[in-house]
Amino acid sequence: APFSLAGVMGMGYTALAMGLRYFDGSYTLEGETQGPLVNGVATALQPKFGTEGASAVFSSKSLILVCMLSTAYMAHFNAPKFYLELKNNTIARYNTVVSWSFGISILLMSIV
């Protein structure tokens, strides 16, 4: 459980940093007073949020996020099971399998 605690502390730190950046105006997208973080990003790469608001959650596009989150949950939840079921399960072999899996996933996602 010490790694679980480290994960929770990391999430808390990230939330705190994002909160500070939000309230100091670093993320501002309004009109001429864009925050410093937004000005450092090329116009073509800046986020576009649209005007749908909270109703966008009910769009079919939000299912992409649901799929990503469910896949991430399943992978983390099943990691110990994958390790135990690996033939000749050593940390080195498990790291190899995980590295190949991530590599293939990154390749497929970059193609899509």
Side-chain angles (χ1 to χ4, degrees):
F3 294 108
S4 228
L5 178 60
V8 170
M9 290 172 55
M11 292 299 291
Y13 175 78
T14 302
L16 177 68
M18 289 176 67
L20 290 173
R21 290 285 191 172
Y22 175 78
F23 289 114
D24 76 0
S26 296
Y27 297 140
T28 303
L29 290 172
E30 305 290 322
E32 299 294 322
T33 59
Q34 291 185 340
L37 294 178
V38 177
N39 291 332
V41 177
T43 306
L45 299 176
Q46 290 181 1
K48 296 174 185 72
F49 296 104
T51 57
E52 295 179 28
S55 65
V57 173
F58 300 110
S59 163
S60 60
K61 294 177 185 177
S62 65
L63 293 177
I64 295 170
L65 176 62
V66 172
C67 290
M68 290 170 58
L69 293 175
S70 65
T71 302
Y73 173 76
M74 288 186 295
H76 285 84
F77 184 80
N78 287 318
K81 181 180 177 184
F82 296 153
Y83 174 75
L84 291 175
E85 291 180 355
L86 183 65
K87 186 184 257 184
N88 300 325
N89 59 349
T90 63
I91 295 297
R93 290 202 64 214
Y94 183 72
N95 287 340
T96 302
V97 169
V98 170
S99 298
W100 274 98
S101 301
F102 271 95
I104 292 168
S105 296
I106 290 168
L107 177 68
L108 290 174
M109 289 297 169
S110 65
I111 291 171
V112 172

